[in-house]
Structure formats: C-alpha cells, structure tokens
Amino acid sequence: MAKFYVQCGSIETILVAESPESAAMNALDQMLQSHLWIYDDNGLSEQDCRDHLMIEALLHLAPTVRVSEQGFSREDAIEIGTPETIEMWHRLMIGMKRLFASAGMPTRSMTSIGCVPTVTFTAPRVPR
C-alpha cells in the first residue's frame, strides 16, 4: 500500500491506500459520512440518495479529485472525476444496506456504521 496526497475542493488529506482510486474514495468517504442519514430515510429512493450526493458534490467539491504519491498541488497528479467517485461510494452504501437486509440483520441505521471522520469538512453556508 502506498501513501497518497489527496485534494478535492476543501479536502486535503494524506492517507494510505491500495490505488489512487481507492485513495480518492477514502478521502470523499470522510466528507460524505455526514450524509449517511439519507440512506436511513425510507421516503428517499436510491436515486434520490444519489441525487442528493451529486448536488452536495456540485456545491462543495471540485470537479476532480487530485491524487499524487509525491505531494499536494503537483502537476503530475492523477485526476479522478468527483461524480464517478461519488457514484462508487453511493453504490457501496446501497450494497451495504442491501447486504444487511438480505442477511436478516436487525434494522440498522447506516449512520451507526459510519466512522469518525479524520478530515474536518465544513460546508460553506450558501443562500438558497
């Protein structure tokens, strides 16, 4: 496993991962933990959850996740699409929710499975 420097909007973190794609997903996972509640809302469809995440990404993240093994703000950083990374994260959350249900596990809040984020992300207040 390698050490990666990951940047996306206000996210700037260093982490260990198996690949640049995994590093991008891990970095966004830390920010998206605060949105796990959408998977507990029975009034929201899977598409509604996805749409919510994409809107949050448009409002608060850069269009790409920049990943480098050399450092931050490097010209040679790999750029991975933020929407594609969000889509992978969303599929993972849906898969986990379905797995819990098919395993016959008692109803469990998705927010209860989240970890404490290591990256502090404060969304700017945007007038609506």
Side-chain angles (χ1 to χ4, degrees):
M1 299 225 296
K3 178 169 73 171
F4 292 99
Y5 298 82
V6 184
Q7 295 173 283
C8 184
S10 64
I11 296 172
E12 191 170 273
T13 188
I14 302 169
L15 45 83
V16 176
E18 292 180 8
S19 67
E21 293 80 10
S22 179
M25 180 124 97
N26 289 341
L28 291 189
D29 176 61
Q30 294 172 7
M31 188 282 272
L32 293 171
Q33 291 289 312
S34 64
H35 297 280
L36 279 173
W37 66 268
I38 64 175
Y39 296 97
D40 294 331
D41 188 335
N42 292 329
L44 295 176
S45 69
E46 291 177 5
Q47 185 64 39
D48 292 336
C49 292
R50 182 189 174 282
D51 293 345
H52 170 88
L53 295 175
M54 290 300 176
I55 289 170
E56 286 296 320
L58 283 171
L59 291 173
H60 305 295
L61 297 173
T64 60
V65 182
R66 296 179 48 83
V67 182
S68 173
E69 290 187 61
Q70 303 297 314
F72 292 116
S73 302
R74 302 265 313 176
E75 293 288 325
D76 58 348
I78 296 169
E79 292 191 359
I80 300 168
T82 299
E84 293 82 4
T85 306
I86 298 261
E87 179 69 28
M88 287 188 320
W89 189 85
H90 168 68
R91 288 182 186 175
L92 178 62
M93 295 304 111
I94 292 297
M96 288 174 58
K97 188 174 178 178
R98 289 178 183 169
L99 180 63
F100 292 150
S102 67
M105 296 176 74
T107 304
R108 179 172 196 173
S109 165
M110 288 296 285
T111 53
S112 71
I113 65 167
C115 64
V116 176
T118 57
V119 171
T120 304
F121 175 78
T122 305
R125 307 262 315 148
V126 178
R128 306 234 181 216

